[in-house]
Amino acid sequence: MRPEVVVVGQMARDLVLRVEEAPAAGRSSAVRSRDEVLGGKGANQAVGVAQLGTPVALLAVVGDDRAGHDLLAHAAADGIDVSHCVVREHARSALIVDVVDDRGQWRYLEDIPEDVLTTEHDVLAAGDLVRHASSVILQLQQPAPTVMAAARLAREGGARVVLDGVPPDRELLSLADILRADANEAEILTGQPVGNVAEGVKAGVMLLAHGLDLAVLDVAGHGNVFVSRAGYEFLPHGDAHVVDTTGAGDALVATLTCAFTRGQDLRTAAHAAVAAAASTTEHAGGRPRLTPGILESRKQT
Ligand SMILES: Nc1ncnc2c1ncn2[C@@H]1O[C@H](COP(=O)(O)OP(=O)(O)O)[C@@H](O)[C@H]1O
Ligand SMILES: [Mg+2]
């Protein structure tokens, strides 16, 4: 099946450790639960899209090691097309350790070797895949030439371009349709704090001026604001029992993209996206646990 959504982003071994309290230097903590799963933000987004039932391909790089081959096998078992993923010779696969305490505070230890970042060459080699997608998600922890090349190919093919994070280059905003940023990323992007809805709307309007159709900004601790040319909608957090916010933004991006790819309107898509994010906060680690029903769950009144 031809992938409708292509994700360009990171793939990593993800080790999720739950502790009562993270240890200070010179102390230790017992680990209460340990999960080792397919992770990395790009892979988590692709897993989310696959869970929602939309054909998806991931463009990511693993090392030529046992972990790399395991990651590809896991992604394929998740229903992700990995035929364009790259196994980089002599490289070590990325590892992310997520230590989450009982108050939901996370600490990440990241070993992401430079040679497992996706290169411009990797993107150009997958040119047909990117050009033929309906939507392309660019997870912005990749080198600038990589994301610029992917955005240009996606544009050429008429795909919807969805950015997650801080664009390395303003020009990327003019090649994209949608940008999602957490509050910290939004502040880096606009130079303005995003601590409340009004500040979120202001930041969103600034971003739309670069040519985007939609900016989705996290108003930390409060909710998400969806700013489009037609206006804005703020969706406050509900009563999720938050264990770990890791990956919630990625689930939001995956769901929003699937909803639009299926032709849903902004309001329906936005509600589904925040429901997916909330559900991802309720367990440790960034791997989403979505079901296709979430796309239908909040048809608007
Ligand atoms: N109390 C909460 N209830 C529901 N969702 C929440 C809550 N706190 C945070 N979130 C969600 O978590 C997301 C975190 O996004 P982000 O920081 O981008 O995570 P990541 O980059 O790890 O995916 C927020 O946008 C929001 O949707
Ligand atoms: Mg994020």
Side-chain angles (χ1 to χ4, degrees):
M1 210 179 327
R2 171 160 277 183
E4 287 181 44
V5 176
V6 172
V7 181
V8 180
Q10 182 190 87
M11 189 181 203
R13 285 163 71 197
D14 197 357
L15 180 59
V16 184
L17 304 175
R18 288 193 71 185
V19 294
E20 194 179 321
E21 207 173 323
R27 309 301 289 261
S28 65
S29 299
V31 169
R32 204 139 34 80
S33 75
R34 174 175 74 182
D35 288 298
E36 185 159 357
V37 291
L38 166 68
K41 300 178 80 61
N44 286 338
Q45 290 168 349
V47 167
V49 174
Q51 289 173 341
L52 294 172
T54 303
V56 58
L58 176 62
L59 181 49
V61 182
V62 294
D64 186 15
D65 50 10
R66 167 107 179 261
H69 293 281
D70 285 352
L71 289 172
L72 292 178
H74 283 139
D78 281 322
I80 298 166
D81 177 344
V82 293
S83 58
H84 291 78
C85 284
V86 175
V87 178
R88 190 89 80 220
E89 255 183 59
H90 309 303
R92 208 172 64 237
S93 294
L95 169 71
I96 298 170
V97 181
D98 175 16
V99 179
V100 196
D101 70 22
D102 274 354
R103 279 181 293 166
Q105 293 178 299
W106 49 255
R107 290 164 178 83
Y108 302 147
L109 301 171
E110 301 186 327
D111 178 22
I112 304 170
E114 215 174 299
D115 46 6
V116 292
L117 297 178
T118 309
T119 64
E120 183 178 6
H121 176 83
D122 299 329
V123 169
L124 296 177
D128 276 350
L129 176 81
V130 178
R131 240 186 255 111
H132 289 121
S134 302
S135 300
V136 176
I137 302 175
L138 302 177
Q139 187 260 304
L140 297 178
Q141 281 153 336
Q142 306 298 317
T146 305
V147 288
M148 289 302 291
R152 285 200 188 100
L153 284 170
R155 259 290 137 97
E156 248 175 67
R160 174 183 297 103
V161 178
V162 183
L163 307 178
D164 177 38
V166 180
D169 189 323
R170 290 288 141 127
E171 195 195 335
L172 187 58
L173 292 172
S174 64
L175 295 170
D177 300 283
I178 300 172
L179 173 118
R180 139 84 200 171
D182 67 29
N184 190 27
E185 292 163 342
E187 182 167 349
I188 295 170
L189 257 166
T190 60
Q192 312 268 329
V194 178
N196 57 43
V197 179
E199 288 174 349
V201 174
K202 191 172 165 206
V205 169
M206 284 172 78
L207 291 167
L208 294 191
H210 293 274
L212 296 167
D213 290 335
L214 176 66
V216 183
L217 304 180
D218 171 40
V219 182
H222 300 284
N224 290 280
V225 66
F226 292 72
V227 186
S228 71
R229 271 170 237 294
Y232 76 90
E233 180 153 24
F234 173 66
L235 298 181
H237 291 325
D239 53 3
H241 173 66
V242 178
V243 172
D244 179 12
T245 61
T246 301
D250 299 327
L252 186 154
V253 167
T255 306
L256 191 68
T257 305
C258 284
F260 285 139
T261 304
R262 290 187 182 196
Q264 289 189 343
D265 60 48
L266 172 56
R267 218 159 169 237
T268 309
H271 278 85
V274 299
S279 91
T280 305
T281 67
E282 294 190 314
H283 58 77
R287 184 185 163 84
R289 300 177 189 168
L290 308 180
T291 51
I294 211 160
L295 289 172
E296 310 301 332
S297 61
R298 303 285 289 266
K299 285 270 189 226
Q300 283 324 289
T301 48

